[in-house]
Amino acid sequence: MTSTSPATSATTAGVADFWFDPVCPWAWMTSRWMDEVQQVRDVSVRWHVMSLAVLNEGRDLPDEYRAMMDAAWGPVRVVVAAQAEHGDDVVKPLYDALGTRIHPQGRGDDLPAVISEALAEVGLPASLADAATSDAYDEQLRASHAEGIGLVGEDVGTPVVAFDGTAFFGPVVTPAPRGEAAGRLWDGTLLVAGTPGFFEIKRTRTQGPVFD
């Protein structure tokens, strides 16, 4: 884990902190947007994990969603283990490798193979896959999750973004805006999220994630 608290360091000019769960398709869409934002605005991103499985602990969930949450432990545990053993720089490449397989490739039902292939792509030891079914790094996982969710509250999910003293869930957007459109969305999101007393803009989603 980073030695500097993300909640504090997010106020550093030009640096955003982004919390994700690898299995969340909407976090994936927002992360693709953030990749674009870095190209058109003077901002870099530090990547952190949060966990839908942790967020939903103790909640009364439909059986199908509960099964999804049980499976969700694997990828995020592997990312935390990789970070702990190989440093912060592996977090984003491993997220990209996992997320590409889970989301655009639609292989979320094949997580053991996805994890093995992603580790190989990034050049990380295959033994890290064992973390998927181990609680060895759950303390670090829960700490990272608490750091992110503590900025926005328990009634939201992933992703969480913090920048220049403000934090927000989302934005939930599809497809991910490109180029200057991504920059304009960044500008507008910071404007509304940074307004004292502002909490929510929302409308019903009419389409699922568009992976391009």
Side-chain angles (χ1 to χ4, degrees):
M1 305 296 290
T2 54
S3 59
T4 304
S5 169
T8 300
S9 62
T11 61
T12 303
V15 180
D17 287 283
F18 188 109
W19 283 263
F20 65 91
D21 186 313
V23 304
C24 178
W26 295 107
W28 177 255
M29 297 306 305
T30 308
S31 71
R32 303 309 94 181
W33 166 66
M34 282 303 307
D35 285 344
E36 290 290 312
V37 170
Q38 291 183 89
Q39 304 303 313
V40 296
R41 293 294 184 269
D42 187 17
V43 59
S44 59
V45 182
R46 283 185 295 243
W47 302 87
H48 315 272
V49 297
M50 59 184 297
S51 171
L52 290 173
V54 171
L55 184 67
N56 284 287
E57 280 184 320
R59 296 183 179 181
D60 185 16
L61 302 173
D63 290 344
E64 182 178 358
Y65 194 72
R66 170 56 60 195
M68 292 171 57
M69 291 302 95
D70 290 344
W73 282 103
V76 74
R77 279 172 162 168
V78 170
V79 175
V80 172
Q83 183 180 29
E85 296 185 18
H86 298 276
D88 295 344
D89 288 347
V90 304
V91 173
K92 180 56 160 53
L94 184 53
Y95 178 34
D96 289 344
L98 289 166
T100 297
R101 290 167 171 81
I102 294 170
H103 303 302
Q105 294 181 13
R107 297 176 58 201
D109 293 332
D110 191 22
L111 290 178
V114 161
I115 289 169
S116 295
E117 292 172 16
L119 290 170
E121 178 181 324
V122 180
L124 290 169
S127 59
L128 283 170
D130 295 341
T133 54
S134 167
D135 63 1
Y137 293 97
D138 280 7
E139 182 177 354
Q140 294 96 316
L141 168 58
R142 291 178 183 277
S144 183
H145 173 86
E147 187 98 52
I149 206 69
L151 299 176
V152 291
E154 293 283 343
D155 58 342
V156 299
T158 174
V160 170
V161 180
F163 181 79
D164 197 22
T166 192
F168 48 88
F169 160 69
V172 176
V173 60
T174 189
R178 305 292 186 184
E180 184 56 24
R184 290 195 300 270
L185 178 57
W186 174 251
D187 298 339
T189 301
L190 294 183
L191 176 63
V192 296
T195 299
F198 175 82
F199 295 106
E200 186 172 7
I201 289 177
K202 191 171 184 178
R203 57 186 174 189
T204 300
R205 293 196 298 267
T206 58
Q207 66 181 117
V210 177
F211 305 123
D212 54 11

